[in-house]
Amino acid sequence: MSLAVVFARASLGVAAPLVTVEAHLANGLPAFNIVGLPETTVKEARDRVRSALLNSGFEFPARRITVNLAPADLPKEGGRFDLPIAIAILAASEQIPTSHLKQLEFLGELALTGALRQIKGALPAVLAARDNERQLILPEANNHEAGVIQPSPARLAPHLLAITAWLRQQGELATPDPITIQEPEHVADLCDVIGQEGGKRALEIAAAGEHNLLLLGPPGTGKSMLASRLPGLLPPMSEAEALEIAAIRSISGVSLEPENWRLRAFRQPHHSSSAVALVGGGSYPKPGEISLAHNGVLFLDELTEFERRVLDALREPLETSTISIARAAHSVTYPARFQLIGAMNPSPCGHYQDGYSRSSSEQILRYLNKISGPFLDRFDLSVEIPLLPPGELSRKRDKAEGSAQIRQRVLAAREQQLQRAGKTNARLSAAELELFCPLSQADAEFLEQALHKMKLSIRAWHKLIRVARTIADLEHEKKIGRPHLIEALGYRAMDRLIKQLQS
């Protein structure tokens, strides 16, 4: 037999399209060619495969070897194709049996000794193999990713020789260890935050309705502490949601912590991050922070220190919950459904126009204008986190309400939203708002007058109704009332600050 066919998987976004590895041995001068749009790392497989086969005791055919990676228009990169190429050559040269190759897929990078090294993006390949009812052979180092799926279609091998012995039915390959979910030892709790009841209330509303939240206040008032406690208020992820974020981490090369893989992500990129780091990209597109925060929280601290164009790059993903990255050869789409929490100071010196402030109105406006109006419009709530009043730290306080109690109210409100519309309030479209969030004529006129006085946009109208609907859900009210609208209007601290400075 001079032709053999072996199956593998490429990496394209969070998908793992099938790649057919065809190896043909022909007469002629010895040569080794790889075709099918291989990148440089794939072309280098020729030397790795040759050395791995010879050092494992196999014969490297002294013939004209052509390896085709089909489909030819799909870019292939990385060392993941080393193992399927080696298996295809061994099968074509009749050094291993070929009877079971149709039910198998192979992925792995080969060392020159024949040992297998870990690859990125194993989890999407495991999912694809399961859906196609094939077994996937992986390096042992990918045990954690393969063990996420139970029962797993993967088999693990430390060396090329272990795989060839298994194909000859002379040994066994290990199955991935099942992942055991453990509760984290310490979870950040809201009761650790002193005072700031207004901020805690806004955080509860944001968690209940999946709203974006902006925290505005002087340094050291607890903005970062509040933001870090949001994941503890959110509902647990379903298995499908957890697999989505695990697949993104897999293709990003981020280590998957077995005990924490069901916890919602909390990403906090530094303010010096570039647009590519935040939304994804590069010559070979990779996910950015917004995709790593999928189904979780993206916290942008010191918001005004980010470049304006970097923040504006978030505007489209916040609306569509995806990010598409186009390149000349191909384009990829990554999921990016995240809850945005921003924190910033109200002025360059960090304080308001009070006894602490050293900034004029013009300086503060120039400082706030570092952030574009359309980006600020993406926040459903903005709330002040002020300095604590005198005596607050020294006085005796009753034990504050913890995250566990607040989470129960959040879960109850989320359940109402899912039963009513099948989604959270922050995701309701304009048509769904009219259907599920009707206002009385008097309340609609009241809200419109408030909008004109505060010079807010139509988007703000919709966001105010969504927030009011969430407040009503937390109080188990079927209809939105005037008190809910008034409270929602109270969470427009940034609009009030800008209007005050302009007047």
Side-chain angles (χ1 to χ4, degrees):
M1 180 180 183
S2 59
L3 177 66
V5 177
V6 170
F7 298 114
R9 294 276 167 185
S11 179
L12 186 64
V14 290
L18 183 69
V19 172
T20 303
V21 181
E22 302 167 332
H24 179 242
L25 309 184
N27 295 327
L29 293 174
F32 190 174
N33 297 310
I34 300 177
V35 298
L37 206 60
E39 302 293 346
T40 302
T41 50
V42 181
K43 293 179 181 178
E44 292 172 347
R46 294 176 298 189
D47 299 316
R48 292 193 295 270
V49 169
R50 179 187 289 110
S51 297
L53 290 181
L54 292 175
N55 289 323
S56 299
F58 294 104
E59 176 189 350
F60 189 80
R63 302 175 67 181
R64 187 175 185 84
I65 303 173
T66 302
V67 174
N68 180 39
L69 306 177
D73 60 347
L74 177 68
K76 292 93 180 174
E77 60 171 325
R80 59 173 45 219
F81 297 104
D82 291 2
L83 177 59
I85 290 173
I87 294 294
I89 291 174
L90 290 175
S93 59
E94 300 182 351
Q95 297 183 65
I96 59 171
T98 60
S99 55
H100 298 294
L101 292 183
K102 289 184 178 180
Q103 290 80 41
L104 300 175
E105 296 178 5
F106 299 86
L107 285 179
E109 180 181 337
L110 284 173
L112 300 186
T113 60
L116 290 174
R117 292 192 172 121
Q118 183 177 7
I119 62 167
K120 290 196 299 184
L123 183 54
V126 175
L127 290 168
R130 181 192 65 178
D131 294 341
N132 287 271
E133 298 181 349
R134 290 196 186 99
Q135 281 190 320
L136 176 64
I137 312 302
L138 285 172
E140 268 187 346
N142 289 108
N143 176 43
H144 287 331
E145 294 176 59
V148 167
I149 310 296
Q150 291 296 331
S152 178
R155 293 293 180 271
L156 306 173
H159 197 280
L160 177 62
L161 287 173
I163 298 173
T164 56
W166 180 69
L167 291 172
R168 296 191 185 102
Q169 299 183 349
Q170 295 175 354
E172 289 295 330
L173 295 181
T175 56
D177 298 326
I179 299 298
T180 55
I181 302 173
Q182 301 175 1
E183 289 295 327
E185 294 182 3
H186 175 73
V187 178
D189 199 295
L190 262 180
C191 65
D192 300 332
V193 181
I194 300 174
Q196 305 301 1
E197 299 305 321
K200 293 177 182 178
R201 171 65 173 172
L203 203 67
E204 178 181 347
I205 295 170
E210 203 178 356
H211 301 291
N212 299 326
L213 172 64
L214 176 62
L215 303 173
L216 182 69
T221 54
K223 300 186 295 295
S224 298
M225 283 188 71
L226 285 168
S228 65
R229 278 140 181 83
L230 178 58
L233 305 181
L234 299 176
M237 283 196 294
S238 65
E239 184 176 356
E241 289 176 326
L243 286 176
E244 283 180 345
I245 185 61
I248 295 170
R249 290 176 182 172
S250 176
I251 62 177
S252 304
V254 178
S255 61
L256 181 65
E257 300 175 0
E259 66 277 6
N260 295 330
W261 78 282
R262 293 291 290 271
L263 298 180
R264 292 190 182 273
F266 181 81
R267 304 291 299 185
Q268 186 177 352
H270 192 260
H271 59 74
S272 62
S273 299
S274 66
V276 170
L278 212 57
V279 303
S283 301
Y284 303 109
K286 294 183 178 179
E289 289 290 337
I290 63 173
S291 295
L292 291 170
H294 181 60
N295 292 328
V297 178
L298 179 69
F299 176 46
L300 302 183
D301 200 3
E302 304 296 345
L303 203 59
T304 51
E305 301 303 320
F306 284 83
E307 290 187 30
R308 183 167 178 154
R309 64 179 184 85
V310 172
L311 294 179
D312 284 343
L314 299 178
R315 285 156 52 182
E316 184 181 355
L318 282 169
E319 297 292 332
T320 63
S321 299
T322 60
I323 179 68
S324 296
I325 303 169
R327 293 293 178 265
H330 62 285
S331 63
V332 295
T333 299
Y334 297 113
R337 176 178 169 170
F338 59 95
Q339 193 167 351
L340 178 63
I341 307 296
M344 58 180 287
N345 298 327
S347 68
C349 67
H351 295 275
Y352 295 96
Q353 285 185 304
D354 50 27
Y356 296 98
S357 180
R358 304 187 306 272
S359 305
S360 65
S361 298
E362 292 76 13
Q363 289 174 320
I364 296 175
L365 275 174
R366 191 160 53 247
Y367 173 79
L368 296 178
N369 282 334
K370 291 181 179 180
I371 307 173
S372 70
F375 176 73
L376 285 174
D377 223 14
R378 264 60 179 186
F379 287 100
D380 302 2
L381 307 97
S382 62
V383 61
E384 292 182 28
I385 309 297
L387 291 169
L388 293 177
E392 181 68 21
L393 289 174
S394 57
R395 74 175 180 86
K396 280 192 173 184
R397 292 179 300 275
D398 296 330
K399 184 174 176 59
E401 192 175 31
S403 294
Q405 296 95 317
I406 298 174
R407 191 172 190 242
Q408 293 304 313
R409 295 198 295 269
V410 168
L411 292 176
R414 284 272 185 123
E415 184 64 27
Q416 294 177 61
Q417 295 165 40
L418 295 177
Q419 289 180 358
R420 180 173 57 240
K423 60 178 72 172
T424 57
N425 290 332
R427 306 288 171 181
L428 293 175
S429 65
E432 289 169 332
L433 284 177
E434 293 184 7
L435 179 62
F436 299 118
C437 309
L439 299 179
S440 67
Q441 184 62 33
D443 287 344
E445 291 174 358
F446 164 78
L447 186 59
E448 187 174 6
Q449 289 174 4
L451 230 68
H452 284 299
K453 286 182 180 180
M454 299 176 71
K455 297 180 180 179
L456 301 180
S457 66
I458 300 298
R459 181 184 283 116
W461 165 276
H462 291 149
K463 288 188 179 298
L464 283 166
I465 295 176
R466 293 186 184 105
V467 172
R469 179 65 266 175
T470 301
I471 296 170
D473 288 336
L474 286 168
E475 296 177 0
H476 305 288
E477 296 287 349
K478 292 185 178 180
K479 293 184 179 181
I480 300 174
R482 182 73 60 90
H484 308 136
L485 293 172
I486 292 173
E487 184 176 357
L489 284 165
Y491 298 119
R492 306 295 301 189
M494 178 62 80
D495 300 310
R496 291 195 299 274
L497 176 60
I498 293 176
K499 185 179 179 182
Q500 177 186 347
L501 293 168
Q502 290 175 339
S503 60

